[in-house]
Amino acid sequence: MNGCMRRDDEAVSAAVATVLLFGGVLSIIGLMMVSMMPVIEEMEGSVERHDMSSQMTLLAHETSSLSERGMPGDVAQATLIPVDGELVWDSLRGGMWYSATWAEDMSLRARGALDFDDTMEIRHPESFIEAVCITDLRLGPDRPYHYTLEAVLDSAVVTVTPGLAMPLGPIDVTLYENGEELLLTSLRVDEMATFDLENIDEATLTSSHALNVYGLVGNGGATYVLPNSPEPADKRGQAWSIPVMAGQHAVQLLSDKANQIHITVDGETTIHYATPNGLARTGVHFHHEMNLTQDSVVHITTSTSSRLLLKTNTASSEGVTAWPSTNGAYLGNTFLPPHLNGTLRFANPGESVVTITWRGGGISVAAGSFEHVSWPPAYDDGAATLDADGDVFVTWGASTETNSVDDINGTMLLPADDTGAISGGRFSYANTANDTEESLVLRLAGYTSTWNASGVSSQTGVFLENNNHRSITLAEGNTSVRVETGHPLRVLRTAGEAGLLQLPHDGERRCTSIDTQASGWISTDLPWERMGGRGEIDTQEAWREGRHPASLSIDVLGDDGVSSHGSIGSVWAFHLSRLSYQFASSIDGMEVAFSGGAVVTNHPEFKPYVVVPPSDRGGPGPRFAATIPSLHPTASSESGAGELELDIELVHRTSLASTPAYEVRRGWSEPYGTAIADDAGIGLEASEDWTVYPGRLDLLTDYVGWVPDPSYGTAEAVWHTNGEIIEFTLQLASIDVTTREVMV
């Protein structure tokens, strides 16, 4: 039959074989692609890592140059072009710290200061630790300084605190009453402002930069003045900027050596000299009277480290101030008090008699008691040094008509018995019979505190964030204030209608008693609100309001072989914003990050690697200097996967330390801390001593530089100088970064 169809079995078999072959080829190709994709992704990730590493290396170079040599207002620019990932700012995971000790054969370590909780740990096994004092450095944009102005003050005068390099433009200063804005003013570095507080109940000053703030009661007073940049070891300095109202005033400078003094008022500078008299146990003093016809900022610089007393309205016999010991704490056994007519009060908070001597004289102070002497000795040509065989407080009063400082009108911060500083957990004050009403103003220096005041003036209270101060009127007799639980207090003593006081900002020197010695880690409170587990927005708001420290300095007080409250060492811990390029490789979570001058990456496979180490300067000899570039994004900064331009502006540069140190350490937040410590000690490979005796710093004599801490699992390094004292300089450059997407 012609219409019948025939089946060609061979053709069918060939077609099926072709389809199966094609399917097999596709399967093989698919399997090959599955096995090759990680390799392809890894190659792409390697390209992204190397491309962004080179771009961030250029960024690190620009930032380092700007932070070390730039002036405020100087701007550097950089462009970052992502390959396939995105650029983001991370303010919570970047951080590092430095520590230095001021006494021989002592070490100091810290950990947990940047964990966003309310505790931290320190380690100093060599001697007894009395206290730690913690200061919020207010580091970063939109983190202003806050100054509480007590209701007892009639007025306040302020000026900008100069630094190594200061902003050229004006600095905003705002006065608030009960949280409501009253006045906004702008100040330049050499200008001052006066605020009338007589009709204001609860006032606060807020500033975008650190200020020198002085509170006044009436027309006269006296106060010890901290320098613009106190030395961390003993709180002396060589430069002061003091806002002074029109009138007749006096300053007195005290030093250990001959001094050249420059005093600048309204652009005119005079030069003065103070020389030693050669007598044993005397210091060098310089007294200068000023008759100002208008409000002015007085700039004073000295050739040697000094202390300064300011006396306003010299015609009056009013004014009282606590005077620090030679180691910087108010509780000590060696003092160089003002060589100025007045009265000294010696208070002994201890449990045994203390004898105080000076050239040609002396006095004994019973335990828990006080004594007064007219000062200075009439026959002494130099500023007499006080030597005590125990710890005492020294207070200077302006009047010599009476032998009691309690009869002198004035305002002063009362040092704490347990910490020897301007805040603490235990205070005592003896009020003698007089016609002047005295009171104590208690204010919380933390987040919460339960306290009691016992003695003649007995009260109890609980301080919280919104209920943080109390005024106590003193009766005749002894009054003691003690913190039962919680954070430290500040206590302000007021008497009469006169007084002058230099005010700290609210986050400055919050001191907590430790009172122990241990070979291991010692836990202590961080007197701020806990922020652990909170989001970035909440943390940024807490930094802005001062409820949690933006970055901090820690001063450790203890037995330095001379005094029980000597400054053993300091720690500076910084929250540093990270600019992170996040991308995917064969696994997710890869990044190249820039923080604190270092470029780091965890590619490949989360292995920490240092592309560019943080910059520092060592040598010649036992020298170390570092400038920390602290980059923080402005509020208008953008992030994302597009091409970004970075405007990098130096806001200011400040000195944190410039003094001899015996040990310097540096630590870094993980996951890159250990890698940075190991990378810094790369030169150890050439050391024969380290090869023969690994981990033995005491036997390392042929190497100067960073050595990873020999302890197991630490992310810190030690600057090794074969036991020689280190000329240590540490600076901080505050840099604002504005990132914006380039529109193509």
Side-chain angles (χ1 to χ4, degrees), residues 554-705:
I554 306 164
D555 192 15
V556 179
L557 307 179
D559 188 356
D560 61 359
V562 178
S563 172
S564 64
H565 286 72
S567 183
I568 292 171
S570 301
V571 180
W572 298 269
F574 311 97
H575 287 286
L576 302 177
S577 296
R578 296 197 318 164
L579 179 59
S580 176
Y581 174 68
Q582 300 175 350
F583 62 96
S585 181
S586 57
I587 53 177
D588 293 333
M590 297 292 97
E591 69 171 5
V592 178
F594 175 75
S595 177
V599 179
V600 293
T601 182
N602 62 351
H603 180 273
E605 300 192 11
F606 298 108
K607 182 179 180 180
Y609 179 78
V610 180
V611 180
V612 177
S615 61
D616 53 50
R617 302 287 183 267
R623 299 175 182 269
F624 177 81
T627 300
I628 303 166
S630 174
L631 274 70
H632 294 278
T634 59
S636 59
S637 289
E638 300 174 347
S639 60
E643 180 179 342
L644 293 181
E645 280 191 357
L646 283 70
D647 292 331
I648 310 165
E649 180 183 2
L650 177 65
V651 179
H652 67 269
R653 186 169 60 247
T654 57
S655 174
L656 300 175
S658 183
T659 187
Y662 289 89
E663 181 193 72
V664 173
R665 288 175 176 261
R666 182 181 69 191
W668 211 274
S669 297
E670 292 289 14
Y672 301 108
T674 302
I676 290 175
D678 292 339
D679 182 82
I682 194 69
L684 280 171
E685 296 176 355
S687 170
E688 295 182 3
D689 290 341
W690 193 257
T691 302
V692 177
Y693 305 106
R696 292 291 302 273
L697 271 73
D698 56 327
L699 299 178
L700 181 59
T701 61
D702 59 353
Y703 171 81
V704 173

Side-chain angles (χ1 to χ4, degrees), residues 297 388 395:
V297 178
T395 304

Side-chain angles (χ1 to χ4, degrees), residues 55-64 78 80 579 594 646 648:
Q55 294 185 58
M56 286 197 174
T57 298
L58 295 176
L59 174 63
H61 176 75
E62 291 287 342
T63 302
S64 177
L80 297 180
L579 179 59
F594 175 75
L646 283 70
I648 310 165

Side-chain angles (χ1 to χ4, degrees), residues 32-33 35-46 586:
M32 291 177 63
M33 291 297 294
S35 61
M36 290 179 63
M37 278 304 296
V39 178
I40 296 172
E41 291 176 344
E42 185 61 34
M43 292 178 65
E44 181 185 356
S46 180
S586 57

